Amino acid sequence: MKKRETRLILALDVLSRNKALELVGSLGGYFDAIKVGYPLILAGGLGILKEISSLAPVIADLKIADIPNTNRLICEEALRAGACGLIAHAFPGQDSLKACVKSTRAYGADLFAVTEMSHPGASEFMAPLAESLAKAAVEAGATGVVAPATRPERIKLIRSIIGDKIIISPGVGTQGGSAADAIKAGADYLIVGRSITGADDPVAEAERVLSQVKASLP
Ligand code: 3DU
């Protein structure tokens, strides 16, 4: 993972290749990485990873959650396409998660495991398991975890389990999370999407979030 500079990761959930490249062109300097997930990959093709990765580091958010062999195949496709970071679910278990860690390491890339998601429904099944999922991420050798900016107290708890592994944290802005609170709770990077990509002035919004991050650092 690129050294923490802005501590921001852009969630690029747009459906047009041109729009995606336009946003990366104008916003790239505000973000340490660009997160690309199913919406853009399905709409624009896997080649979009290569195009964007020539401009900025790309994390492929495929929330990989299959048996070890299938996980390996998915990881290798995304890594060959240019991703330098991948997001996987921890719940399929150590063997599945370790397959992702092994693949990413072979490419010098990072693997982030989801602990508890940021939306309200995560309280049904994920929250009761989040501590075990965080421990599983550490045991598997993941680079870090995904933890919710919508519940900063959960970032704190997960930080106490994972030590100095990296926390990337979605949920700032549209989902209601505060950039300052998530950073103060221990997030290393914030994942921000719609509140910036859908703003009338995305650059001004990125600047606003960046100034909140800077103001909340010790
Ligand atoms: O809500 P936003 O538009 O800022 O985007 C958040 C992004 O992070 C989006 O791509 C979503 O799929 C992803 N994400 C979560 O929101 C919550 C998680 O627990 C994991 C990923």
Side-chain angles (χ1 to χ4, degrees), residues 11 13 35 61 63 117-118 146 170 172 175 191-194:
D13 294 323
K35 185 179 80 64
D61 182 1
K63 297 203 176 66
M117 295 180 75
S118 54
V146 186
V172 167
Q175 295 184 53
I191 297 169
V192 193
R194 290 165 291 172

Side-chain angles (χ1 to χ4, degrees), residues 125-170:
F125 305 116
M126 297 197 85
L129 291 176
E131 291 172 64
S132 302
L133 296 171
K135 283 178 196 152
V138 174
E139 191 186 331
T143 313
V145 301
V146 186
T150 45
R151 292 183 287 280
E153 72 284 2
R154 304 294 285 172
I155 297 179
K156 254 187 209 157
L157 174 72
I158 286 162
R159 169 62 73 206
S160 73
I161 295 167
I162 65 163
D164 60 4
K165 288 203 176 284
I166 295 173
I167 296 181
I168 63 176
S169 188

